[in-house]
Amino acid sequence: MSDAIKHECGLAFIRLRKPFSYYQQQHGTVFYGLNKLYLLMEKQHNRGQDGAGVATVKLHTEPGVPFMHRIRSSEHQPIADIFSKIREEIAEIEKYQPEITRYPGLMKGHMRFLGELLMGHLRYATQGRNNVELCHPFVRHNTVPARNICMAGNFNLVNVDELFKFVKVSPGETHKNSDLAAMLEVVHHFLAQEDEARQNGLDVKAILQQAFSMFDGGYHVCGLIGSGDSFVIRDPHGIRPSYYYINDEVIVAASERAAIRTAFNVGENEVLELMPGNALIVKENGDYSIEQILEPKERRACSFERIYFSRGNDEKIYKERSALGYHLSETVLKAIDNDLRNTIFSFIPNTAEVAFYGLIKGLEDYLNRIKVERIMSWGKDFDEEKLSEMVNRRVRIDKIAIKDVKMRTFITEDASRNEMVQHVYDITYGTVKPGTDTLVVIDDSIVRGTTLRESIIKMLDRLGPKRIIVMSSAPQIRYPDCYGIDMSKMGEFVAFQAAISLLREQGKDYILQEAYGLCKELERTNTLHAQNVVKNIYKPFTPEQISAKIAEIITPSGINANVEVIYQNIESLHASCPNNLGDWYFTGNYPTPGGNRVVNKAFMNYMEGKNERGY
């Protein structure tokens, strides 16, 4: 997105099902598991760049020998930092015992992170703080081995306070707002109860059923238990993505299908989706089962995964992003009065490239239909030059914008800083016919509009187009997210700003006060979760009216071109991404009651001038 937002984290899990000597013989290295974990994390690096963490558990260790280890980093390149430290540890061991890597049993005893259970996590700081203490995995230690647990996940919960109260834990300042800290305490609570009641192995399914029934949110979570058991679980709405792959050597899970396929060189159909409400449970002996933990609910898989977050090298995601662009072709043709001769198309940023290809395919289909109709209408009245001119007509495409290396400025004054920020992108001169051409650029989505206003529109206007049309492959983002994306402040959404401006222009400010009053009443009766009051703010206006006002907001002063904004509609979004119908950011239809509570709280914060999260 031109307005980058922090979003879903990435998760990787590996359970080695053979002795380390097997991997030494079959794959030439005792570090097979660590190498694959590194690959899984790197291939999901798009999902989190604020921090990373790795945890491992060794099986069948002697009493008193440490078996659960963790390493985390919030350095600039956290994955590289973690694995370089692991490599340094290996090098230190080899310095004194050069032949030790030939003896897997000795390596396991000497090297902390050579475990049969491995977990990796990539973090985006949805809490807005890049603190290594907030990097996953989190560990809960106990003197009883089976009561040790390590967890990481891709999620947000909206009932953290209630969870801490349930387990009677008062978290420290660092962890008091941490979803994972609350989740870990609850799971550990039921783990300890289960271990105390049962002496011949844990019933992991029962633990998960008790704990996860208490969580309000979307999640994809992994846990390593000191008993040697492990699990991966997905929320009952399937909000967060989860995939797994199993053969006789390994059991693998990750946030993205393509990452598993690449790391293990397997086909699409070999990597399966973990269904909503289900858990992949792996026992200490390597046996596994897929268990229904919670009753599956209406599938509301996150549509942003398909629009932007997940890597586009998954063939299904690639096709869906292309379809998002294709569905916009008819709308833009109407906007330009079908004048392809005087319209040039491009994309900003690079992540919108696949949607751009889909858009061009739609335009080319239209142009080819026109060619056939025109040629058929000629009968025999044509010559080679006339036919050649018609056949060779093309949709005009150019690489208009180039994003330079991230620019930094020593200037602190806002006005001067904004002047520098607008040069993050540069343009390709000579591509546009000044005063004649319409310039159409497609973006993944428009969240805040800040980058468009402060940089992109000014930059594009320097080319001298008659019109600038910005297209979004996503619908208007109107509501906060509370299931993994860092979008929780109403005032930051340009669509909300547009609705507020329209209300005030039309003398309908009373709608804001009515909505605020209703929120306060719901809060007083402890029913803030009962309805999404913010829908009332948008109700008086059509999407087209909101888009027109957004165009005004993102147009800086001194621009010569007429600026327009076109958004994807909800129907086309669902047609493009039929299996990911989670659209609450656009429609306000939240899958859990906690979503309504968050959006109403975010609106109240806006009305009260509080610059804080809604949960």
Side-chain angles (χ1 to χ4, degrees), residues 526-538:
N526 199 30
T527 56
L528 206 55
H529 62 279
Q531 61 177 295
N532 180 349
V533 177
V534 179
K535 286 185 178 183
N536 297 337
I537 307 299
Y538 296 100

Side-chain angles (χ1 to χ4, degrees), residues 462-492:
R462 294 206 301 270
L463 292 170
K466 184 178 180 180
R467 300 166 67 195
I468 297 172
I469 299 177
V470 180
M471 306 189 75
S472 168
S473 66
Q476 295 168 3
I477 298 172
R478 298 180 169 196
Y479 304 96
D481 180 75
C482 54
Y483 305 114
I485 307 173
D486 189 20
M487 299 193 306
S488 60
K489 299 175 183 178
M490 289 299 308
E492 292 185 349

Side-chain angles (χ1 to χ4, degrees), residues 285-296:
N285 63 3
D287 292 342
Y288 72 92
S289 62
I290 305 296
E291 303 285 354
Q292 181 179 309
I293 304 302
L294 301 171
E295 187 69 31

Side-chain angles (χ1 to χ4, degrees), residues 55-126:
T56 62
V57 169
K58 300 175 188 283
L59 300 178
H60 313 304
T61 58
E62 293 295 323
V65 175
F67 56 86
M68 182 178 286
H69 298 279
R70 175 189 62 175
I71 182 171
R72 299 178 293 178
S73 173
S74 58
E75 295 298 316
H76 179 60
Q77 296 290 339
I79 302 175
D81 182 51
I82 285 171
F83 282 91
S84 67
K85 288 176 180 174
I86 292 174
R87 284 194 296 269
E88 288 171 6
E89 187 172 312
I90 296 168
E92 184 69 17
I93 295 170
E94 286 184 306
K95 184 165 66 174
Y96 298 102
Q97 302 181 63
E99 302 295 313
I100 194 171
T101 54
R102 295 169 52 188
Y103 302 95
L106 285 175
M107 280 300 297
K108 177 180 175 180
H110 283 77
M111 186 183 161
R112 288 186 302 156
F113 293 97
L114 197 63
E116 289 88 349
L117 281 69
L118 305 96
M119 176 168 59
H121 185 266
L122 301 148
R123 179 175 188 262
Y124 257 121
T126 55

Side-chain angles (χ1 to χ4, degrees), residues 456-517:
I456 293 174
I457 299 299
K458 292 179 181 178
M459 171 194 72
L460 297 178
D461 192 60
R462 294 206 301 270
L463 292 170
K466 184 178 180 180
R467 300 166 67 195
I468 297 172
I469 299 177
V470 180
M471 306 189 75
S472 168
S473 66
Q476 295 168 3
I477 298 172
R478 298 180 169 196
Y479 304 96
D481 180 75
C482 54
Y483 305 114
I485 307 173
D486 189 20
M487 299 193 306
S488 60
K489 299 175 183 178
M490 289 299 308
E492 292 185 349
F493 301 135
V494 69
F496 182 74
Q497 296 169 22
I500 296 296
S501 295
L502 288 170
L503 287 174
R504 289 173 175 160
E505 287 173 8
Q506 297 181 15
K508 297 179 178 178
D509 298 61
Y510 64 89
I511 292 178
L512 288 174
Q513 296 303 324
E514 288 177 352
Y516 179 67

